[in-house]
Amino acid sequence: MTRVISDLPADVLPRGLAGVPVAATEVSDVDGQAGFYHYRGVDPTTFARTGTFEDAWYLLHFGELPTAGEREAFAAKIRAAMTMPPVLRDSLPAIAALGPPGSMDVLRTAVSAAGVAIGCRPWTEQDMPLTEAQMFTLAALTPVLTAALYRLARGQTPAGPSDDLDFAANYLRMIHGADPDAARVRALETYLILAADHGFCNSTFAERVIASSGADMGAALSGAIGALSGPLHGGAIDRVPSMLAAIGDVSRVESWLRDRLDRGERLMGFGHAVYRTLDPRNTVLREVAREIGGERIALAEVVERTGIALLNERKTDKRREANVELYAGVVLDYAGVPEELFACTFPVARMAGWTANLMEQIADNRIFRPAARYVGAPPR
Ligand code: ACO
């Protein structure tokens, strides 16, 4: 008998699937009421100021923080996977020319090309270790591609990674063509650790949907970048610095923010789909920003206080706070990441969580094929 989907009651249609579990995961989770998130049970804010990005990546994949020896071996494995296949290197100038430097769209295209170049095939038609190696290579290549695309767009030749540097330092090295100083690496490391994963967010869901059809790792990971690039998700990181620049001075904060809200626009760096209290990533990045100091940070703090007050004055159904993006730009700027690359630095970090999620999806796959309640014209 045909199931009449349009007879499903309206309450089975939560908009945006908000709060609806669609999979079981052991990778990471977010408790929006408590303002807490974790990777495999470990709170990343406890090691974000002191650990390395390799720690977060290793934890997300293997379920434990690495020992010193494991960290070193893992960092070496990442470095070894940072070599671009010649066919990809040769195609990169054309890909860089497709759009503005630092655009996530260009990076998404390059990751898709990288998937083809390293021979990604439907994971259902190849061995699991090969699929795992391919997703790992794509994750390791993401900072390489990001930096190379940026340099090519500026008429510079790509700069390779150094065998003596770890992931975060190598990312800065490949952007600038010179070894970075330790304080800047530390700031970047903190951001990368905090951004490595975040529960079943929009882009994670998107890549798992793609992989669930058996599609290859290049398809899933470039799709994840596509989802992340939207202004309501990771695309907000780009828009916060321009918001701060447009406000310009603390005297203009309230009128500027009010005006945006009066026009029905969203304040970038505020609100979250899950958090109903402080975003713990924002708390750590604000702390780093305060230590950096400067006029821009003072302005960001006034914007934060005023934005929260205005949002909660206008909408009282639930609490809204600032999110991870508000201080991310300030911290990345200090770290020496050019503003054009703020957006792409997000997927550079998130590849760690995305690939852990893909492993989980593949290990226990069923194709995602939800239903919709048909509300259109009756059959005729
Ligand atoms: N500015 C203005 N209004 C807001 C904001 C905001 N930043 N955040 C929520 N609201 C209002 C919306 O207008 C919306 O009302 P409407 O449906 O009548 O238009 C309502 O509050 C929705 O509230 P929530 O249920 O709390 O949020 P939702 O889950 O729908 O959206 C989102 C969450 C997309 C993050 C939203 O807060 C937003 O657009 N923020 C600005 C963009 C941003 O900073 N994104 C980064 C998020 S963090 C990340 O993805 C890494």
Side-chain angles (χ1 to χ4, degrees):
M1 200 179 95
T2 313
R3 185 167 166 235
V4 183
I5 294 171
S6 56
D7 280 351
L8 290 173
D11 62 4
V12 301
L13 281 182
R15 293 185 70 221
L17 290 177
V20 178
V22 291
T25 183
E26 294 179 4
V27 178
S28 72
D29 196 22
V30 181
D31 181 338
Q33 299 298 332
F36 174 74
Y37 79 120
H38 64 85
Y39 304 157
R40 307 252 184 204
V42 179
D43 176 353
T45 66
T46 58
F47 67 93
R49 305 291 315 265
T50 51
T52 68
F53 178 62
E54 283 84 348
D55 293 336
W57 189 342
Y58 189 98
L59 171 63
L60 284 161
H61 276 256
F62 303 111
E64 296 294 338
L65 282 163
T67 61
E70 287 166 340
R71 180 189 300 119
E72 207 173 302
F74 192 58
K77 190 177 160 199
I78 296 170
R79 267 195 305 272
M82 280 181 160
T83 309
M84 269 195 267
V87 64
L88 179 63
R89 204 180 46 226
D90 294 347
S91 337
L92 223 50
I95 297 174
L98 291 172
S103 128
M104 264 206 250
D105 304 340
V106 175
L107 178 64
R108 182 194 71 210
T109 307
V111 169
S112 179
V116 179
I118 66 168
C120 289
R121 304 236 324 105
W123 64 266
T124 45
E125 294 171 7
Q126 60 183 27
D127 292 344
M128 181 72 166
L130 179 58
T131 300
E132 188 177 358
Q134 288 168 342
M135 68 173 86
F136 183 80
T137 300
L138 290 175
L141 280 177
T142 300
V144 182
L145 294 171
T146 303
L149 289 165
Y150 173 75
R151 289 179 66 86
L152 285 166
R154 294 159 54 89
Q156 299 168 311
T157 42
S162 159
D163 282 345
D164 300 327
L165 298 178
D166 286 344
F167 186 94
N170 256 332
Y171 180 45
L172 292 175
R173 183 186 200 280
M174 290 185 289
I175 293 170
H176 297 294
D179 288 1
D181 75 64
R184 293 182 195 279
V185 176
R186 183 61 262 156
L188 176 61
E189 203 96 69
T190 298
Y191 169 79
L192 294 175
I193 291 170
L194 292 171
D197 204 34
H198 203 243
F200 224 79
C201 66
N202 179 286
S203 49
T204 296
F205 183 36
E207 63 154 12
R208 287 181 70 140
V209 169
I210 296 170
S212 80
S213 75
D216 70 68
M217 295 300 100
L221 289 167
S222 55
I225 300 177
L228 186 74
S229 68
L232 304 187
H233 194 10
I237 193 171
D238 256 356
R239 288 155 175 89
V240 172
S242 38
M243 175 180 79
L244 294 177
I247 296 174
D249 186 79
V250 284
S251 63
R252 284 166 37 88
V253 170
E254 185 169 344
S255 58
W256 197 95
L257 295 178
R258 269 193 196 285
D259 178 58
R260 292 297 126 142
L261 289 172
D262 288 346
R263 287 201 245 152
E265 289 179 23
R266 298 211 170 187
L267 305 182
M268 291 296 135
F270 291 89
H272 197 269
V274 182
Y275 288 121
R276 292 298 152 234
T277 179
L278 300 176
D279 179 337
R281 303 167 297 176
N282 182 50
T283 307
V284 178
L285 292 176
R286 188 199 302 111
E287 188 181 284
V288 176
R290 275 187 186 151
E291 287 165 20
I292 296 165
E295 270 176 32
R296 197 137 166 251
I297 284 132
L299 175 64
E301 292 208 54
V302 179
V303 168
E304 180 178 27
R305 280 196 300 275
T306 314
I308 292 168
L310 293 178
L311 278 176
N312 290 296
E313 169 189 299
R314 287 178 188 227
K315 267 196 182 298
T316 52
D317 56 327
K318 52 193 174 190
R319 182 85 190 152
R320 289 179 184 87
E321 295 279 347
N323 63 47
V324 61
E325 313 291 21
L326 193 62
Y327 293 96
V330 176
V331 171
L332 290 177
D333 182 49
Y334 172 76
V337 176
E339 192 167 325
E340 296 103 305
L341 289 187
F342 288 177
C344 287
T345 304
F346 200 162
V348 163
R350 189 53 65 87
M351 279 279 169
W354 282 336
T355 47
N357 270 279
L358 287 178
M359 287 298 293
E360 194 174 69
Q361 183 64 39
I362 288 167
D364 183 22
N365 187 60
R366 171 143 191 211
I367 188 166
F368 275 104
R369 201 319 185 177
R373 194 160 65 91
Y374 179 72
V375 295
R380 51 193 149 138

